[in-house]
Amino acid sequence: MGLKEKSTDLRKRMRNALKGGGDKAIQKQKAIGKLTARERILALLDKDTFHEYDLFVEHAGKDFDMDKKYLPGDGVITGTGTISGHPVCIYAQDFTVAGGSLGWMHAKKITKIMDHALKLKVPLIGINDSGGARIQEGVNSLAGYGEIFYRNTLASGVIPQISVILGPCAGGAVYSPALTDFVFVVENISKMFITGPEVIKTVLGEEITMEALGGARVHCETTGNAHFFAKSEEECFTQIKELVSYIPWNNTRKAAKYPPKRPKTRKYNIDNIIPSDPREPYDVRDVIRSLTDDSNFMEVQELFAQNMVIGFGRMEGETVGFVANQPLVLAGVLDVDSSDKAARFIRYCDSFNIPLVTLVDLPGYLPGVDQEHAGVIRHGAKVLYAYSEATVPKITLIMRKAYGGGYIAMCSHHLRADFVFAWPTAEIAVMGPEGAANIIFRKEIMAAKNPDEYRRQKVEEYKEKFANPYVAAAYGYIDAVIEPSETRKMMIRALAISQEKEVYLPKKKHGIPPF
């Protein structure tokens, strides 16, 4: 056979492999509103940048007549490409081929592209759409998952890892996305759970739909397992492209710098955002947008633990991670879920050289039997650990309330914030004036002729003495008391001067966070 004939044979083999599970399976995939694995990759990557590898890999199954079956690419597509010029490694499970089930060679393809990503130090994107472990291959399927999990852990904090759930992701398969940095889900398409509805019905006698058990909204609102929610696959890909623009390729780089832009101050005027009444709520995201370039802010886990806001913005073209209490929800308190949410994001930013800006307005940790029994002590300690451990530039702004443990936890100087600013409206104390007055002057209030009036006087006395930033400033715990209009300028200067920051830590293998 000459070169011409061999080239013809190659093209024929490629055509067969590129068909995936065939026209019937592809039509079934599209009928339920899903793109094919190849279409997903091409929609996400820059045009003409996808280079596929291991197209001709074949499955290793021999039992249950598997030796008679041809599974193109063994049900997964792998390769490299770029997103807005940023290089990435990518894989997409192909549900049209044996339901995207994971066998040994399927897993080998994934682990090979994972090894490439780690070696080349570029982000890894995994598109999950699989029925789970390939039963016919037995323990080899389980071994394949174990190899993937190990690499997820190895790559953690070295390269960004992004999981996209565009179909079922069940059983052991869910642990790979759980080990990655960001999980994207799509309404009515994404399904994640350890045990499905049938198993739950058999074991517990409970009936539940797949959507109610592990749908996209459940994981964005309730479990916190997902970070970004989209209504369609196209919207999901747009979100991924935006995220990639904010983060660096790896932990030795900084995120790409963009041309600086002024905030949209007509819409987000920082002087008009905070109400004069300290008990009146406001949307802290408006404060963030009053500080960021072009008032852009990409919120992470927007639907989960909404008393805490986290996400990415830019200041003078540089990516910054924002952590902020949200007074609109539970007065911005720290609780079990919001602590987890903040701590994880802080550690991500620290791993990838993204400076942290913390906006503080909270009455402390959420009290109550439910929170105590849910482990608020352990979960709350995660925020303390994450901020204390972080060595990136850390800038804190206290806007209003900073009471009790919440003041310490939200990146105070005591956890080694580099700069702490406060507005004149800041209130820094062990607790709120009303509660403090009731404790300090309890006997006097009870003995007073007019207890209510006496209590009011003592509350005002406490406010005058402690409900302001100047006592903390007198001890050097606040670096500068500033007007709101000065905030962006002060933060940009603080971030600029912190660029070459170095922190010397005790030598150790690793710490032991309060997991």
Side-chain angles (χ1 to χ4, degrees):
M1 188 184 292
L3 176 61
K4 186 176 180 180
E5 290 78 15
K6 288 184 177 181
S7 295
T8 301
D9 179 59
L10 169 62
R11 288 192 290 270
K12 181 181 177 181
R13 289 171 181 268
M14 289 182 67
R15 282 195 299 271
N16 288 336
L18 292 171
K19 284 181 181 178
D23 294 337
K24 189 174 180 181
I26 290 172
Q27 288 171 6
K28 187 176 180 181
Q29 177 95 339
K30 289 181 172 292
I32 55 176
K34 294 165 62 177
L35 298 175
T36 65
R38 198 169 300 278
E39 287 173 337
R40 286 164 172 168
I41 290 175
L42 297 178
L44 182 56
L45 299 182
D46 298 335
K47 187 177 181 181
D48 298 327
T49 66
F50 179 55
H51 295 275
E52 185 172 354
Y53 306 111
D54 292 332
L55 176 63
F56 299 120
V57 163
E58 296 188 15
H59 70 83
K62 304 297 180 186
D63 301 317
F64 305 104
D65 292 329
M66 285 297 293
D67 55 333
K68 300 173 185 176
K69 293 183 178 180
Y70 169 57
L71 305 181
D74 202 15
V76 63
I77 301 168
T78 64
T80 61
T82 65
I83 296 177
S84 301
H86 298 273
V88 299
C89 287
I90 190 167
Y91 69 85
Q93 293 177 311
D94 188 349
F95 198 81
T96 70
V97 178
S101 59
L102 186 138
W104 176 244
M105 292 309 296
H106 180 120
K108 289 277 283 184
K109 285 182 70 171
I110 293 175
T111 56
K112 183 177 175 181
I113 201 66
M114 293 176 80
D115 289 340
H116 272 306
L118 192 56
K119 177 173 60 180
L120 303 174
K121 287 207 161 186
V122 299
L124 173 72
I125 300 174
I127 300 176
N128 296 263
D129 186 2
S130 169
R134 190 174 298 156
I135 299 171
Q136 297 91 327
E137 293 195 29
V139 72
N140 273 340
S141 294
L142 301 180
Y145 279 125
E147 294 293 332
I148 292 170
F149 302 159
Y150 177 78
R151 285 166 174 81
N152 285 138
T153 305
L154 203 65
S156 182
V158 181
I159 56 171
Q161 299 182 83
I162 295 169
S163 294
V164 194
I165 314 301
L166 295 179
C169 183
V174 298
Y175 287 114
S176 178
L179 289 167
T180 61
D181 301 313
F182 299 103
V183 178
F184 289 76
V185 292
V186 176
E187 191 171 34
N188 299 322
I189 290 179
S190 308
K191 306 288 188 292
M192 292 174 69
F193 38 72
I194 298 295
T195 53
E198 291 301 318
V199 175
I200 290 175
K201 183 178 180 181
T202 301
V203 176
L204 300 176
E206 298 176 6
E207 292 194 14
I208 190 168
T209 65
M210 289 177 69
E211 189 68 27
L213 177 64
R217 195 168 287 279
V218 168
H219 287 300
C220 283
E221 292 182 355
T222 308
T223 69
N225 290 328
H227 302 83
F228 295 97
F229 175 87
K231 294 288 185 71
S232 67
E233 293 193 25
E234 291 75 12
E235 182 186 354
C236 175
F237 299 149
T238 299
Q239 292 173 342
I240 295 169
K241 292 174 184 179
E242 183 181 0
L243 175 66
V244 168
S245 76
Y246 279 108
I247 60 179
W249 298 1
N250 58 59
N251 65 346
T252 67
R253 288 174 171 254
K254 295 193 68 176
K257 185 171 182 178
Y258 283 70
K261 293 184 178 180
R262 299 287 302 167
K264 296 174 181 176
T265 50
R266 286 188 178 180
K267 185 174 182 180
Y268 302 105
N269 187 332
I270 198 166
D271 288 320
N272 299 331
I273 294 171
I274 306 294
S276 55
D277 184 347
R279 291 169 296 185
E280 189 177 335
Y282 60 92
D283 193 338
V284 77
R285 292 172 295 191
D286 290 342
V287 177
I288 294 172
R289 291 189 174 99
S290 75
L291 301 173
T292 58
D293 290 6
D294 206 31
S295 296
N296 289 328
F297 175 57
M298 186 176 196
E299 188 169 356
V300 178
Q301 289 188 292
E302 179 181 356
L303 302 177
F304 178 68
Q306 295 182 358
N307 41 320
M308 179 67 72
V309 171
I310 58 173
F312 300 108
R314 292 189 183 90
M315 299 183 76
E316 285 296 282
E318 302 272 7
T319 295
V320 173
F322 286 88
V323 180
N325 306 117
Q326 175 58 289
L328 278 180
V329 181
L330 296 174
V333 295
L334 281 169
D335 58 8
V336 166
D337 287 340
S338 64
S339 295
D340 284 358
K341 176 178 174 178
R344 191 177 189 278
F345 183 72
I346 292 162
R347 297 196 82 190
Y348 179 85
C349 290
D350 187 49
S351 293
F352 290 99
N353 310 306
I354 298 172
L356 286 160
V357 168
T358 304
L359 305 181
V360 185
D361 186 353
L362 82 163
Y365 283 90
L366 182 63
V369 174
D370 290 345
Q371 283 292 303
E372 295 291 348
H373 288 183
V376 70
I377 297 171
R378 171 168 45 87
H379 291 273
K382 295 177 186 180
V383 181
L384 300 168
Y385 192 101
Y387 270 129
S388 298
E389 182 186 50
T391 60
V392 292
K394 297 182 285 191
I395 317 299
T396 300
L397 171 69
I398 301 174
M399 299 176 295
R400 292 200 307 192
K401 298 182 291 296
Y403 294 155
Y407 155 69
I408 300 169
M410 292 300 290
C411 203
S412 61
H413 253 311
H414 321 295
L415 303 187
R416 300 305 182 264
D418 297 296
F419 295 95
V420 178
F421 304 123
W423 287 347
T425 49
E427 302 177 9
I428 304 163
V430 174
M431 63 174 63
E434 287 79 8
N438 284 338
I439 292 173
I440 297 170
F441 305 108
R442 183 173 61 87
K443 291 182 179 179
E444 292 89 337
I445 290 171
M446 291 176 65
K449 291 183 179 179
N450 188 337
D452 291 339
E453 176 60 24
Y454 189 83
R455 181 186 294 107
R456 188 191 64 78
Q457 291 175 9
K458 292 303 178 183
V459 167
E460 291 303 316
E461 182 182 327
Y462 187 88
K463 281 183 180 179
E464 187 176 336
K465 188 169 182 60
F466 292 108
N468 61 67
Y470 302 110
V471 175
Y475 286 104
Y477 302 147
I478 303 295
D479 295 302
V481 180
I482 61 174
E483 295 183 32
S485 59
E486 297 180 282
T487 305
R488 178 177 157 91
K489 177 183 69 178
M490 293 292 286
M491 284 189 172
I492 288 172
R493 285 179 180 174
L495 290 167
I497 205 168
S498 304
Q499 288 290 322
E500 303 300 321
K501 172 186 175 183
E502 289 188 22
V503 177
Y504 300 97
L505 300 173
K507 184 179 179 181
K508 57 184 175 181
K509 186 174 181 180
H510 55 68
I512 306 165
F515 288 144

